[in-house]
Amino acid sequence: MEIGYARVSTTKQDLERQIHALELMGIEASRIFVDKKSGTTINRPRLRAALGYAREGDVLVVHTLDRLGRTVRDTLNLIHNLAERGVGVKNLADPIKVDSSNPSDRMAQLSVVFLALFTQMERTYTAERAAYARLVATAKGRRVGRPVLADPDTIAYAVHLREQGETIAQIVAKTGVARTSLYRHMPPRPIEPLTASGVAPVAA
């Protein structure tokens, strides 16, 4: 029996294309497990459910192989673990077709390695390009990252409250600024002296 798995990274993305492709393979909607989780997180409950549902002789079908793992190692480990249970993995839309349900097919096994490698390489290159773009933007004086959700006066007031001994919960209540935004935008507390004298001890 073939079991489908589809995943998108955010709740705003659409699963329809993946589900449609799986249904065209004859997989009923009741056997298509879906997650709306980033590939970088290990918390993918529907994937765990699909793996628990699969039995010897079944095949787990995905639109593309990167729906399964965060890294090359994760993907290969998953395919290997499923193979030990007699469960295969098949992809539909990648340039290199994979079908590990036939362990005697060496080309199929080689395709698994190549495709997982290419997927990881692309993810690495994308991260490097993004990091370089942030570096260039910072060098040109442009702000990068999430927008500030509180004006400078509010942040200054929050800092004042902190200096008066208010807790973060109290500051949130008085300013209306979310806890995460306070941590992001308030300057760090002054570094406490290393010793009571305020001078770092000198090694003997």
Side-chain angles (χ1 to χ4, degrees):
M1 182 173 64
E2 291 187 332
I3 301 165
Y5 176 69
R7 178 183 61 78
V8 290
S9 297
T10 70
T11 57
K12 294 182 180 180
Q13 292 178 314
D14 192 0
L15 285 161
E16 183 177 351
R17 180 169 64 102
Q18 296 179 50
I19 293 173
H20 179 65
L22 293 168
E23 289 179 332
L24 287 178
M25 295 295 296
I27 305 175
E28 297 178 4
S30 60
R31 298 201 312 273
I32 299 176
F33 295 79
V34 297
D35 270 322
K36 290 192 174 183
K37 296 282 186 177
S38 169
T40 61
T41 179
I42 62 175
N43 181 27
R44 286 170 283 170
R46 302 302 185 276
L47 177 59
R48 292 199 305 270
L51 300 180
Y53 182 77
R55 297 294 182 264
E56 184 176 356
D58 292 346
V59 179
L60 182 64
V61 185
V62 292
H63 192 249
T64 53
L65 199 63
D66 63 351
R67 301 300 85 193
L68 291 177
R70 298 177 300 157
T71 64
V72 174
R73 183 182 296 275
D74 284 344
T75 304
L76 295 182
N77 284 346
L78 177 59
I79 293 174
H80 175 73
N81 292 339
L82 287 174
E84 289 187 332
R85 294 171 45 194
V87 179
V89 173
K90 181 191 298 183
N91 66 336
L92 301 179
D94 287 306
I96 301 176
K97 300 305 178 185
V98 170
D99 185 356
S100 65
S101 60
N102 184 7
S104 63
D105 186 344
R106 294 189 177 182
M107 286 305 298
Q109 306 305 312
L110 187 60
S111 296
V112 172
V113 176
F114 280 151
L115 188 56
L117 177 61
F118 295 154
T119 300
Q120 177 64 16
M121 287 173 61
E122 178 58 27
R123 184 175 291 123
T124 300
Y125 294 156
T126 299
E128 288 180 350
R129 288 194 293 267
Y132 178 73
R134 289 194 298 269
L135 182 64
V136 171
T138 300
K140 293 182 178 180
R142 295 200 297 266
R143 177 179 172 78
V144 296
R146 297 178 182 177
V148 178
L149 299 181
D151 59 76
D153 290 339
T154 303
I155 296 299
Y157 178 52
V159 172
H160 170 74
L161 292 175
R162 184 179 66 181
E163 291 174 348
Q164 298 301 310
E166 301 276 359
T167 66
I168 288 295
Q170 291 170 326
I171 297 174
V172 169
K174 291 183 177 181
T175 63
V177 179
R179 180 185 297 262
T180 53
S181 293
L182 288 174
Y183 285 134
R184 188 179 308 121
H185 300 300
M186 283 200 305
R189 293 179 182 274
I191 299 175
E192 296 294 331
L194 296 176
T195 65
S197 67
V199 179
V202 178

